[in-house]
Amino acid sequence: MTKLSKMLKGKKMNEIVNIVRNNSKVSLKIPPLIKQTALCALKTQRLLNNIPPKTMIQKRCISSSSSCQIYSSENPSTMQQRGVSLSSSLVQHSSLDRRSAFLTRSELRNAKRVVIKLGSAVVTRADGQGLALGRLAAIIEQVAEIQNSGADCIMVTSGAVAFGKQRLSQELLMSMSMRETLSSMDRTSELKNIAQNDLKRPNAAVGQSGLMALYGAMFRNYGIIVGQVLVTRQDFINDDTREQLFNTIRELMALNIIPIINTNDAVSPPPQETSMQGTLNITDNDSLASRVAVDINADLAILMSDVDGIYDRPPKADGAQLLHYFNHKNIDDIQFGEKSNYGTGGMESKVISAGFALDHGCNVIICNGLKNNTIRNIMAGETIGTMFSPLEIKGSSVEVLAKNARSGSRKLSSLAPEDRAEIIRHLATSLLSNEFEIMEANKKDLDAAKACGVTGPMFDRLALSRAKLESLCTGLMQIADSSYDNVGKVVRRTQISDTLEVVQKTVPIGVLMVIFESRPDALPQVASLAIASANGLLMKGGKEAINSNKILMRIVNEALGRYGCSDAISLVSGRDEVADLLKLDQYIDLIIPRGSNEMVRQIKERSKSIPVLGHADGICHTYLDEFCDVDKALKIVVDAKTDYPAACNAMETLLVHESLLTNGVFHLVCDDLKKAKVDIFSGPRLSEHLTFGPPKAEKMSFEYGALACTIEIVSNMEEAIDHIHKYGSGHTDVIVTEDKDIAEKFIASVDSACVFHNTSSRFADGFRLGLGAEVGISTGRIHARGPVGVEGLLTTKWELRGDNDTAAEYARGEKQFVHKQLPLD
């Protein structure tokens, strides 16, 4: 008897039903009131059992097919095949185990139960007179997408009072007597003021029905039913009413109905600053949404208002920083400002409410509901608003790293050239002295790569060796030796007049962001170039090399730390951080991606305001002229294709003069390529000449990145140049010929970053061309082109020195311009 009484107060309905079904002796002893409640629960359970299997998701997909696959990991037919009854769905909703909170935004797409709170500022028009219907319709469309994907949505909404104000104001004006209407005294403003300020409870009563009718009509367009749940603070204090409240919400969710919860302001007393130990006091819709999210085991609560998120100080204060991640344990670090002009909640209330939800395993995002596609972007993992996460992150970590890189760049610039060179030399020697630790970390990466089935060129790029470390050390020493004149070098000196002299000097660009894939040896190379040019640097390495990159980054920081500049270079990880960095144009000056075509292309597309230096394709050509030396041709072609097939400077297309088809050169080249296990594909003209030739290439503009290439024939050099301009990527193109005039014409005419004569395209490399190392290869036409070394990481500034000079004096002719070029020394 005592056990059953406790269950009626705090347990789930299915447990009560089981006792009534399975223990008739106990049920006979139950007092009438409790027995009636249990039998009612049994009746409800039987009703749910008799409802057909859950098919409403499939119906929703018919009405909103374009959005059904956005969040869902299961298709409707799979769920229907399982034969999930509505009663079992209710049990699932009632007994869902609390999962731990998500750590990053990329995990939010996995949320299966989402509470969305619409604040008064989101629902209400800017003038406070009625609802913002356009904005509301857009939000409902996004909520419908989540619901139609198979997840559960619960809405906590404001707006009843605002809707009631509009309707009640109109009603009061319409109800004026004829005498008042004809009176010379205009009482319109007075009546509006009464309706808006003195009649809150009547406004709520009038607005609730209209608001729900509006929601019902809007959601009906997406095949979704909604149910209103009016609550007061007392409903959460009383155990019985609270249990019934959440049973109702769970039953609605089991029926695929969106519960729309709002406070019954028509009867609710004003919020009171009282609290119950261990729980959250309901004082506004933020606390209401958080309590609901916790009690229904939601994965995510989105609190939408008119602010972008949490700032470390009032948003309008100087230096206010938006915090993209926040742990409420750091609440003492926040300075709160005034609350919104609408509603009852403020930022402090939001933070306290969100912290309560996070403590119970539910992530919360505080965001601006006035902006477009807010919910959709949050579910896609984009950086919107402030995410409450268990991670101990103060502020926006990537923004802090970018700020540090900016200040670190200035520290590097202030060092003497000898100090910067010494940092690089220390880094170079540390690579060899820490060989054992580096190789141990690299072995972990290689073992993980093998377990994932990584082979071929990608595996080779990942592997480090003693020879690679020695080559790195040599390259870094070259960078150090040539670094003395990089920063502060005078490139122009001009005497403007007898009293004015201007100097143009080299200076660092500022902060670089370099993204590279599966090449740990790129990290010390890029770091050294940044140090030599006094640039701040943010690096993103491939996840395949995570252990190697960590140890190499530690060595870089140790070298920088000797001169107090360890924060000038940082290593970031994760797609979330890269996405955030691409928006920090106030700190990052240049992005250099090094990796696959797809990665480079994505970075170029996603970076809206930060310049990107790089190339998307490396379609390199080698042209065998009719006057080529056979031995040279064979050696150069095989090296260009096989030395490193995955490199961007590997040959992808071989152009052959048509005369070489008949003198045996063509067949010798093909034989050597086949011996090197290179797959050959033929161009259109070659296919016409050979009856049983190689398979036809699918397209002429193609980067294989493997032991494969296309061969095509051309009639002359001009045709070869036209082919390169039509199908090439402007990276590196080569001519093999003994005719120097033809070679010079080819070099002058081909519009590529690198044009070579009688050498392999693999020489398009910063180290091989004497730059020590390269930060990347650019096929662009602005700032830097080809292998980018230190010079490509510098810009200039102008220093003008005068003696009491004004522009007006020169305009009046009192002083004369000279504009004489002076020696640079």
Side-chain angles (χ1 to χ4, degrees):
M1 172 58 197
T2 304
K3 181 179 179 181
L4 188 58
S5 299
K6 290 181 179 179
M7 283 182 139
L8 282 171
K9 288 186 177 182
K11 296 293 181 181
K12 302 174 182 65
M13 180 173 60
N14 58 302
E15 297 181 17
I16 300 172
V17 171
N18 288 336
I19 288 181
V20 175
R21 279 178 174 167
N22 301 327
N23 198 335
S24 57
K25 293 181 180 180
V26 174
S27 64
L28 291 173
K29 299 176 182 179
I30 299 174
L33 179 59
I34 298 178
K35 183 176 181 180
Q36 181 180 0
T37 304
L39 291 174
C40 180
L42 177 60
K43 182 178 180 181
T44 303
Q45 188 82 357
R46 287 173 177 169
L47 175 63
L48 296 175
N49 278 326
N50 291 331
I51 293 179
K54 205 171 182 180
T55 59
M56 294 188 72
I57 292 177
Q58 190 171 15
K59 292 180 182 178
R60 288 184 183 143
C61 284
I62 295 173
S63 63
S64 185
S65 60
S66 64
S67 58
C68 275
Q69 298 179 353
I70 294 179
Y71 311 111
S72 179
S73 59
E74 296 182 295
N75 59 50
S77 59
T78 304
M79 298 186 73
Q80 191 171 9
Q81 288 171 4
R82 293 178 181 174
V84 181
S85 69
L86 198 56
S87 60
S88 63
S89 177
L90 179 62
V91 172
Q92 183 181 12
H93 281 81
S94 302
S95 59
L96 185 66
D97 291 335
R98 162 62 59 203
R99 292 183 289 268
S100 58
F102 299 132
L103 298 179
T104 61
R105 295 175 185 274
S106 60
E107 300 173 85
L108 296 180
R109 66 181 72 247
N110 300 319
K112 298 301 181 185
R113 190 168 298 165
V114 183
V115 174
I116 299 162
K117 172 259 176 180
L118 305 183
S120 299
V122 177
V123 178
T124 309
R125 293 197 322 231
D127 60 4
Q129 306 300 309
L131 303 180
L133 296 179
R135 187 188 307 136
L136 204 55
I139 291 173
I140 286 172
E141 179 182 358
Q142 296 169 71
V143 175
E145 287 178 3
I146 302 175
Q147 184 78 4
N148 284 341
S149 72
D152 297 317
C153 287
I154 303 93
M155 290 181 63
V156 176
T157 180
S158 303
V161 174
F163 198 18
K165 283 181 182 180
Q166 184 183 31
R167 296 184 64 180
L168 202 56
S169 297
Q170 295 171 352
E171 198 64 32
L172 285 174
L173 291 175
M174 293 297 294
S175 64
M176 290 172 61
S177 67
M178 180 64 69
R179 178 176 296 176
E180 290 173 319
T181 304
L182 297 176
S183 172
S184 59
M185 183 181 295
D186 185 2
R187 298 188 62 206
T188 304
S189 300
E190 179 187 353
L191 292 174
K192 282 186 177 181
N193 185 60
I194 292 172
Q196 292 169 17
N197 300 313
D198 299 336
L199 302 174
K200 180 180 179 180
R201 283 185 288 273
N203 282 332
V206 170
Q208 282 165 0
S209 60
L211 183 64
M212 279 308 301
L214 181 63
Y215 278 129
M218 287 183 169
F219 275 111
R220 201 174 300 123
N221 292 324
Y222 304 96
I224 295 174
I225 302 173
V226 298
Q228 183 181 28
V229 181
L230 282 173
V231 299
T232 65
R233 182 173 175 274
Q234 295 301 119
D235 295 329
F236 291 85
I237 296 175
N238 184 282
D239 291 340
D240 293 330
T241 57
R242 185 177 66 252
E243 182 66 22
Q244 292 304 315
L245 167 63
F246 286 103
N247 278 341
T248 300
I249 294 173
R250 294 183 188 107
E251 290 173 15
L252 289 172
M253 289 192 295
L255 290 162
N256 285 325
I257 297 172
I258 294 181
I260 296 184
I261 305 170
N262 49 14
T263 55
N264 191 354
D265 292 328
V267 299
S268 293
Q272 299 177 9
E273 295 299 328
T274 58
S275 61
M276 296 178 292
Q277 188 173 3
T279 189
L280 179 67
N281 188 36
I282 305 296
T283 59
D284 52 40
N285 277 347
D286 295 312
S287 52
L288 173 60
S290 295
R291 277 291 298 272
V292 169
V294 168
D295 285 341
I296 64 168
N297 289 346
D299 303 302
L300 173 65
I302 302 175
L303 307 184
M304 304 175 73
S305 62
D306 59 349
V307 294
D308 292 332
I310 297 177
Y311 289 79
D312 57 353
R313 65 199 71 181
K316 294 181 180 179
D318 291 338
Q321 178 184 340
L322 178 64
L323 309 179
H324 296 305
Y325 285 93
F326 185 70
N327 189 317
H328 64 289
K329 295 178 182 178
N330 303 318
I331 191 172
D332 292 337
D333 299 336
I334 304 298
Q335 300 175 23
F336 294 103
E338 297 178 357
K339 74 180 188 66
S340 167
N341 293 328
Y342 308 99
T344 58
M347 185 54 68
E348 187 170 8
S349 170
K350 289 178 174 60
V351 171
I352 294 172
S353 301
F356 173 80
L358 183 64
D359 285 339
H360 290 80
C362 177
N363 288 101
V364 177
I365 289 186
I366 296 175
C367 60
N368 193 333
L370 307 182
K371 296 185 176 180
N372 294 331
N373 293 323
T374 298
I375 299 174
R376 190 177 288 125
N377 292 336
I378 286 172
M379 300 303 293
E382 295 189 21
T383 304
I384 305 294
T386 300
M387 176 178 175
F388 279 67
S389 168
L391 293 175
E392 286 290 339
I393 299 176
K394 290 190 178 182
S396 172
S397 61
V398 292
E399 191 165 351
V400 171
L401 291 177
K403 283 183 177 180
N404 290 343
R406 174 72 74 192
S407 61
S409 171
R410 291 168 181 152
K411 291 179 185 176
L412 282 172
S413 296
S414 66
L415 293 178
E418 294 79 11
D419 293 337
R420 289 194 293 269
E422 179 56 31
I423 292 174
I424 300 171
R425 290 194 182 95
H426 186 273
L427 171 57
T429 56
S430 296
L431 292 176
L432 299 181
S433 62
N434 288 276
E435 177 187 358
F436 178 77
E437 292 180 74
I438 293 172
M439 299 308 296
E440 281 290 307
N442 188 241
K443 184 178 183 301
K444 294 179 181 178
D445 292 328
L446 294 176
D447 291 343
K450 287 178 182 177
C452 295
V454 177
T455 58
M458 187 173 181
F459 187 85
D460 294 339
R461 287 197 297 268
L462 182 61
L464 293 175
S465 63
R466 173 73 184 186
K468 275 191 177 182
L469 293 179
E470 289 177 347
S471 178
L472 271 174
C473 181
T474 302
L476 267 55
M477 288 297 187
Q478 288 181 5
I479 294 173
D481 293 341
S482 61
S483 67
Y484 294 95
D485 297 327
N486 291 335
V487 180
K489 180 181 179 180
V490 177
V491 297
R492 180 191 296 267
R493 186 188 298 274
T494 305
Q495 183 179 344
I496 304 300
S497 68
D498 292 338
T499 55
L500 279 175
E501 183 178 311
V502 67
V503 174
Q504 185 183 13
K505 287 184 177 180
T506 57
V507 293
I509 288 177
V511 176
L512 312 174
M513 176 181 172
V514 179
I515 305 169
F516 52 92
E517 292 181 329
S518 63
R519 279 194 58 187
D521 55 324
L523 191 150
Q525 288 180 342
V526 173
S528 297
L529 289 171
I531 296 167
S533 57
N535 281 290
L537 176 64
L538 299 171
M539 290 184 288
K540 165 66 173 69
K543 62 183 179 180
E544 306 86 0
I546 183 170
N547 295 293
S548 305
N549 288 338
K550 282 182 178 179
I551 180 66
L552 291 171
M553 191 63 222
R554 193 199 76 192
I555 295 171
V556 170
N557 284 334
E558 287 176 355
L560 287 166
R562 289 158 53 89
Y563 289 86
C565 301
S566 58
D567 57 353
I569 298 178
S570 297
L571 184 68
V572 299
S573 61
R575 293 182 179 179
D576 283 354
E577 292 188 335
V578 173
D580 293 343
L581 286 167
L582 292 176
K583 301 174 183 177
L584 297 179
D585 58 322
Q586 70 271 39
Y587 302 118
I588 299 174
D589 301 293
L590 183 66
I591 298 173
I592 305 174
R594 298 179 57 176
S596 65
N597 300 344
E598 181 182 359
M599 186 271 281
V600 176
R601 192 174 291 109
Q602 285 181 354
I603 296 298
K604 285 186 172 183
E605 291 173 354
R606 292 167 61 190
S607 179
K608 303 300 183 183
S609 55
I610 305 175
V612 178
L613 186 150
H615 65 280
D617 298 303
I619 304 173
C620 302
H621 294 75
T622 298
Y623 167 53
L624 300 185
D625 183 57
E626 60 179 321
F627 303 111
C628 69
D629 180 276
V630 178
D631 293 333
K632 291 180 183 178
L634 296 176
K635 185 179 178 181
I636 290 170
V637 167
V638 172
D639 180 83
K641 182 67 262 184
T642 64
D643 180 65
Y644 195 166
C648 62
N649 57 11
M651 182 191 74
E652 302 295 354
T653 300
L654 174 63
L655 300 177
V656 180
H657 192 280
E658 60 185 4
S659 65
L660 304 183
L661 286 176
T662 56
N663 65 5
V665 175
F666 170 77
H667 297 287
L668 289 173
V669 171
C670 290
D671 288 343
D672 279 12
L673 287 172
K674 289 177 181 177
K675 288 177 184 177
K677 299 181 180 180
V678 177
D679 295 328
I680 298 173
F681 298 88
S682 61
R685 287 190 61 185
L686 180 60
S687 297
E688 294 174 2
H689 282 73
L690 301 177
T691 306
F692 300 104
K696 192 172 181 179
E698 293 184 5
K699 60 180 183 177
M700 295 304 296
S701 182
F702 187 75
E703 184 175 5
Y704 293 95
L707 286 172
C709 71
T710 299
I711 300 180
E712 180 61 309
I713 60 172
V714 292
S715 300
N716 49 50
M717 182 194 66
E718 287 76 15
E719 192 173 310
I721 293 172
D722 291 341
H723 181 102
I724 290 170
H725 288 164
K726 184 175 182 179
Y727 298 110
S729 62
H731 192 294
T732 302
D733 298 294
V734 177
I735 183 172
V736 182
T737 184
E738 295 304 299
D739 190 317
K740 291 186 178 180
D741 291 337
I742 290 177
E744 291 304 317
K745 187 175 181 180
F746 180 90
I747 290 174
S749 301
V750 172
D751 187 16
S752 295
C754 300
V755 187
F756 299 160
H757 173 215
N758 280 356
T759 186
S760 169
S761 60
R762 288 282 292 131
F763 276 91
D765 172 83
F767 175 75
R768 295 187 176 103
L769 294 182
L771 303 180
E774 67 184 30
V775 74
I777 293 181
S778 171
T779 56
R781 300 176 182 275
I782 299 176
H783 175 64
R785 199 175 186 200
V788 181
V790 173
E791 292 81 2
L793 305 180
L794 297 169
T795 185
T796 61
K797 73 174 182 179
W798 297 83
E799 298 176 355
L800 180 64
R801 293 172 176 85
D803 183 12
N804 195 30
D805 290 275
T806 63
E809 292 174 309
Y810 291 85
R812 292 193 298 264
E814 297 172 8
K815 289 187 177 183
Q816 303 298 321
F817 289 112
V818 176
H819 291 156
K820 178 183 176 181
Q821 297 301 315
L822 301 175
L824 299 181
D825 297 335

